[in-house]
């Protein structure tokens, strides 16, 4: 499932079409990705509009078009965004294709857990607003993290890291990477964390997000070689620090990897 850095990379794919007018579009009106949306209005308003700019927030993206039109995309499990040539013929899973004179902007999603939303209005859509600060902003600080963790004091720390209302954009692999760096077991109960461990979790979260955006988010290149992610899915995966075999179990409903020597 795409997490923050992958989402950022996908968002930028449509930058090629900035300033370009939508001259036609193709969509699968009855597909699940459009649940609850007025696709007639989307079609009517987007044709003739220009793509202006976009932004990402956690795992969500927002594309602004001229004429006060907004398109929100959530990639879900298997959603992807890419650019094709102007004479592209949409395939089965290309649920939304925006044609410009020189290219086609494609949203594809084989498993349809993604979502496309449309809004027409001067202000950004209600569904885009969020009380949760972005991790790479200064508002995402120890005070915010502590208050969030205190509200979920019964949960294992891995579960809290997966909550988008606290750690927007973090998913399964980033959560494991963060806890490995912070030297905290994924199954540790939040109420048992020390102030030092909470500080380590905040530090590791900021670091993993920043370095992921610099690698994956820039050009889809791999995170640094010495990260846990490269070992996580291997049967014989080892801790990048001292080569202890990595352990696996289900924590918070997700396959989780950790180093029994690093993490307590
Ligand atoms: Zn280790």
């Amino acid at each position: 499932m795409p997490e923050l850095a992958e989402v950022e990379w996908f968002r930028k794919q449509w930058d090629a079409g900035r300033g370009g007018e939508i001259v036609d579009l193709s969509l699968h009106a009855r597909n699940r990705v459009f649940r609850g949306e007025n696709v007639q209005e989307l079609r009517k308003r987007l044709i003739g509009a220009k793509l202006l700019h976009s932004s990402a927030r956690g795992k969500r993206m927002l594309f602004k078009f001229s004429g006060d039109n907004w398109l929100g995309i959530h990639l879900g499990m298997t959603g992807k965004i890419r650019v094709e040539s102007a004479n592209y013929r949409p395939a089965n899973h290309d649920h939304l294709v925006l044609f410009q004179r020189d290219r086609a902007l494609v949203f594809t999603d084989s498993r349809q857990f993604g979502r496309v939303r449309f809004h027409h209005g001067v202000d950004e859509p209600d569904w885009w607003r969020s009380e949760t600060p972005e991790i790479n902003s200064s508002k995402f600080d120890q005070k915010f993290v502590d208050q969030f963790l205190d509200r979920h004091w019964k949960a294992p720390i891995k579960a809290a890291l997966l909550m988008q209302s606290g750690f927007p954009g973090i998913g399964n692999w980033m959560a494991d990477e963060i806890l490995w760096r912070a030297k905290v077991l994924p199954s540790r109960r939040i109420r048992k964390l020390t102030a030092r461990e909470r500080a380590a979790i905040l530090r590791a979260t900021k670091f993993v997000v920043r370095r992921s955006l610099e690698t994956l988010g820039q050009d889809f290149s791999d995170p640094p070689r010495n990260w846990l992610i490269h070992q996580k899915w291997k049967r014989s995966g080892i801790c990048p620090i001292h080569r202890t075999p990595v352990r696996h179990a289900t924590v918070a409903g997700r396959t989780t990897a950790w180093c029994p020597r690093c993490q307590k």
Side-chain angles (χ1 to χ4, degrees):
M1 182 186 288
E3 302 180 22
L4 172 148
E6 291 107 318
V7 168
E8 174 62 8
W9 185 81
F10 282 122
R11 177 190 70 78
K12 290 191 296 194
Q13 300 312 297
W14 282 5
D15 278 356
R18 275 168 62 176
E21 186 183 340
I22 308 304
V23 295
D24 195 8
L25 66 79
S26 147
L27 56 79
H28 299 150
R30 292 209 290 224
N31 191 276
R32 194 152 65 130
V33 300
F34 291 108
R35 55 196 177 271
E37 291 307 303
N38 184 341
V39 291
Q40 308 309 330
E41 195 193 8
L42 182 158
R43 181 193 298 275
K44 193 183 83 190
R45 295 203 184 270
L46 281 191
I47 293 178
K50 283 181 183 167
L51 174 59
L52 300 179
H53 56 81
S54 62
S55 50
R57 194 170 271 178
K59 296 182 184 175
R60 305 179 297 154
M61 304 172 230
L62 184 66
F63 297 88
K64 173 85 195 285
F65 292 83
S66 62
D68 298 329
N69 295 304
W70 310 78
L71 190 73
I73 295 185
H74 191 296
L75 296 172
M77 304 269 290
T78 52
K80 290 184 171 65
I81 277 181
R82 67 184 199 279
V83 173
E84 295 283 354
S85 62
N87 60 2
Y88 180 68
R89 300 267 297 273
N92 264 351
H93 298 303
D94 299 332
H95 304 307
L96 177 66
V97 182
L98 306 176
F99 291 97
Q100 296 180 322
R101 202 168 54 88
D102 298 326
R103 66 190 70 76
L105 310 176
V106 182
F107 166 67
T108 188
D109 185 3
S110 57
R111 292 185 62 189
Q112 307 155 34
F113 289 108
R115 186 162 187 187
V116 178
R117 309 186 79 163
F118 177 73
H119 174 71
H120 173 69
V122 178
D123 297 320
E124 57 180 34
D126 284 344
W127 41 256
W128 181 250
R129 299 207 176 94
S130 170
E131 301 295 303
T132 311
E134 293 305 295
I135 290 169
N136 53 10
S137 77
S138 60
K139 287 184 183 155
F140 190 91
D141 56 11
Q142 196 69 55
K143 187 172 161 221
F144 172 80
V145 168
D146 282 344
Q147 283 174 349
F148 182 77
L149 294 181
D150 289 344
R151 283 204 296 283
H152 300 281
W153 59 279
K154 286 182 181 169
I157 182 62
K158 168 91 184 246
L161 282 169
L162 295 174
M163 291 177 196
Q164 299 304 295
S165 54
F167 294 83
I170 301 299
N172 198 28
W173 81 258
M174 289 180 105
D176 284 3
E177 199 71 46
I178 289 164
L179 292 172
W180 175 66
R181 275 183 187 275
K183 303 192 185 300
V184 173
L185 275 179
S187 56
R188 276 281 294 286
R189 298 282 149 180
I190 288 170
R191 66 170 182 273
K192 300 222 168 135
L193 293 175
T194 64
R196 183 187 290 254
E197 285 167 334
R198 285 170 171 235
I201 288 167
L202 172 63
R203 232 177 11 252
T205 302
K206 294 260 188 193
F207 177 82
V208 168
V209 163
R210 182 169 58 78
R211 289 295 286 138
S212 301
L213 286 171
E214 288 167 358
T215 51
L216 264 167
Q218 267 312 313
D219 52 13
F220 224 64
S221 60
D222 283 340
R225 292 307 312 165
N226 59 351
W227 281 27
L228 184 68
I229 185 179
H230 304 294
Q231 304 293 329
K232 172 168 177 169
W233 301 108
K234 287 188 204 162
R235 217 163 239 293
S236 56
I238 50 168
C239 170
I241 294 177
H242 30 53
R243 316 192 86 71
T244 309
V246 165
R247 290 246 186 98
H248 294 93
T250 301
V251 179
R254 306 293 299 276
T255 303
T256 297
W258 72 93
C259 169
R261 195 169 146 191
C262 287
Q263 293 169 261
K264 303 290 177 203

